[in-house]
């Protein structure tokens, strides 16, 4: 099954009502584009309240700091007791802690306000929409309200289920080929990843094959066939047009080291494209004539004592 590597369901992170929903299913969006905008009355009020609390806490902290410095200077002249200095120190520290807490509350309120605008985390396509304009959403509990589903179509992969008996061969040869358009188009996988655990019910492993960037005609949810390499072997192959067929006999004209030409019978295997596998009759490194018909004409001319190209 083809799936997007980057596929996300965006969920609400604040309690609000949908004010704007500028995208529809199938829309292409860029990173940072606004996908959902919520009403922000409560969030803006909470932020203003937090700003006021920070201002008050800052004023208290400034007053406590000034009082501490004054008591510290008087204590240096031994005009106040040590307990007064300790009290001023505690008040200063408490005021600073209250200021820190107020600033943290302001940051939290600001974050809640930012949550009222949902933006695209990456370039992609809107695949699902779960809310409508005017709908109230909740950040939880128990679960946050899903808003939109987004998928990036520029990075895809195929996930296949493999029997446990075939996994070790794939580990030894982590190569795969995607068979597209009914097998007429073969695309080498960009990567092969075997998930480390098997399904205890089916005893199968999930294997992910990366789809090269720019591969056309693939969309998340489609099914494709994947061929995995189970091993490797060297095979002898010839161009199909170098073969001479006489009934059920196949042969090639072999060119010797002294440039002599002789017919050699061969046993053939599978044909792949414009090449055919040679099972026997030839050795690696031997030379063969590419055009059997032209070779026959040349041999006839040689036997007749004539010169032929």
């Amino acid at each position: 099954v083809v799936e997007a590597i980057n596929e996300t369901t965006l969920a609400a992170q604040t309690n609000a009502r949908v004010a704007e929903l500028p995208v529809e299913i199938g829309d292409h969006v860029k990173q940072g584009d606004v996908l959902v905008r919520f009403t922000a009355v409560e969030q803006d009020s909470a932020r203003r309240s937090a700003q006021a609390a920070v201002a008050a806490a800052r004023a208290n902290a400034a007053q406590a700091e000034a009082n501490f410095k004054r008591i510290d200077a008087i204590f240096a002249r031994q005009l106040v007791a040590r307990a007064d200095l300790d009290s001023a120190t505690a008040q200063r520290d408490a005021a600073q802690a209250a200021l820190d807490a107020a600033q943290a509350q302001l940051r939290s309120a600001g974050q809640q306000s930012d949550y009222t605008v949902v933006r695209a985390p990456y370039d992609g396509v809107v695949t699902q929409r779960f809310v409508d304009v005017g709908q109230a959403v909740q950040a939880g509990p128990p679960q946050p309200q899903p808003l939109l589903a987004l998928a990036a179509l520029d990075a895809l992969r195929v996930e296949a289920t493999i029997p446990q008996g075939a996994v070790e061969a794939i580990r030894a040869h982590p190569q795969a080929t995607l068979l597209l358009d009914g097998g007429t188009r073969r695309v080498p996988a960009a990567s092969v990843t075997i998930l480390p655990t098997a399904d205890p019910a089916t005893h199968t492993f999930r294997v992910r094959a990366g789809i090269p960037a720019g591969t056309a005609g693939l969309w998340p949810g489609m099914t494709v066939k994947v061929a995995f390499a189970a091993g490797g072997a060297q095979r002898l192959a010839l161009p199909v047009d170098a073969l001479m067929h006489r009934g059920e006999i196949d042969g090639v004209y072999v060119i010797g080291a002294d440039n002599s030409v002789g017919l050699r019978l061969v046993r053939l295997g599978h044909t792949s494209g414009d090449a055919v596998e040679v099972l026997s009759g030839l050795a690696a490194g031997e030379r063969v004539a590419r055009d059997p018909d032209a070779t026959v004409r040349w041999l006839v001319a040689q036997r007749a004592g004539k010169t032929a190209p």
Side-chain angles (χ1 to χ4, degrees):
V1 177
V2 178
E3 61 183 23
I5 296 177
N6 293 323
E7 190 169 11
T8 307
T9 298
L10 304 175
Q13 293 181 273
T14 187
N15 299 334
R17 190 177 299 276
V18 179
E20 296 180 27
L21 196 59
V23 295
E24 293 287 346
I25 296 176
D27 286 353
H28 290 258
V29 297
K30 295 291 186 181
Q31 182 179 4
D33 286 354
V34 175
L35 304 180
V36 185
R37 194 183 299 274
F38 299 120
T39 57
V41 176
E42 295 179 358
Q43 289 78 5
D44 290 344
S45 296
R47 183 166 60 179
R48 287 193 295 269
S49 177
Q51 289 172 340
V54 168
R58 185 176 287 113
N60 290 335
Q63 182 180 6
E65 179 68 23
N67 183 60
F68 166 77
K69 290 180 178 179
R70 184 171 60 255
I71 297 299
D72 186 50
I74 296 175
F75 177 77
R77 290 180 289 168
Q78 300 182 352
L79 298 178
V80 295
R82 179 73 188 188
D84 294 331
L85 178 62
D86 292 344
S87 177
T89 302
Q91 291 176 0
R92 180 200 63 180
D93 293 345
Q96 183 60 46
L99 175 59
D100 293 341
Q103 290 174 334
Q105 187 64 34
L106 176 59
R107 288 192 294 270
S108 177
Q111 189 66 63
Q112 289 296 318
S113 183
D114 291 341
Y115 287 156
T116 60
V117 178
V118 179
R119 299 182 182 275
Y122 46 75
D123 296 355
V125 175
V126 178
T127 58
Q128 294 187 71
R129 198 182 80 174
F130 303 102
V131 294
D132 295 303
V133 174
Q135 182 175 340
V137 299
Q138 300 288 327
Q143 295 293 333
Q145 169 72 47
L147 306 172
L148 297 168
L150 190 69
L153 302 183
D154 57 349
L156 302 176
R157 67 188 176 200
V158 174
E159 183 167 297
T161 302
I162 303 299
Q164 64 181 14
V167 169
E168 289 308 316
I170 298 176
R171 291 188 196 276
H173 305 277
Q175 302 171 16
T177 301
L178 308 178
L179 308 180
L180 309 178
D181 302 334
T184 60
R185 184 160 60 113
R186 304 170 68 91
V187 178
S191 62
V192 174
T193 303
I194 304 174
L195 273 63
T197 58
D199 186 328
T202 62
H203 312 296
T204 57
F205 284 81
R206 288 185 297 161
V207 180
R208 291 172 176 170
I211 299 176
T215 303
L218 294 179
W219 302 87
M222 294 177 61
T223 58
V224 298
K225 289 185 177 181
V226 186
F228 292 96
Q234 289 191 349
R235 300 185 184 277
L236 189 64
L238 280 177
V240 173
D241 57 9
L243 293 172
M244 185 195 69
H245 304 284
R246 293 293 183 268
E248 297 182 357
I249 298 177
D250 299 306
V252 293
Y253 285 102
V254 180
I255 304 173
D258 57 353
N259 290 330
S260 61
V261 180
L263 179 63
R264 182 89 57 83
L265 300 182
V266 294
R267 187 162 63 92
L268 304 178
H270 295 290
T271 300
S272 177
D274 59 354
V276 61
E277 181 184 4
V278 178
L279 300 178
S280 63
L282 280 178
E286 288 190 291
R287 295 186 301 161
V288 299
R290 286 295 300 266
D291 190 338
D293 293 335
T295 305
V296 170
R297 292 194 299 270
W298 182 84
L299 289 172
V300 171
Q302 288 288 319
R303 290 170 183 173
K306 298 180 180 180
T307 302

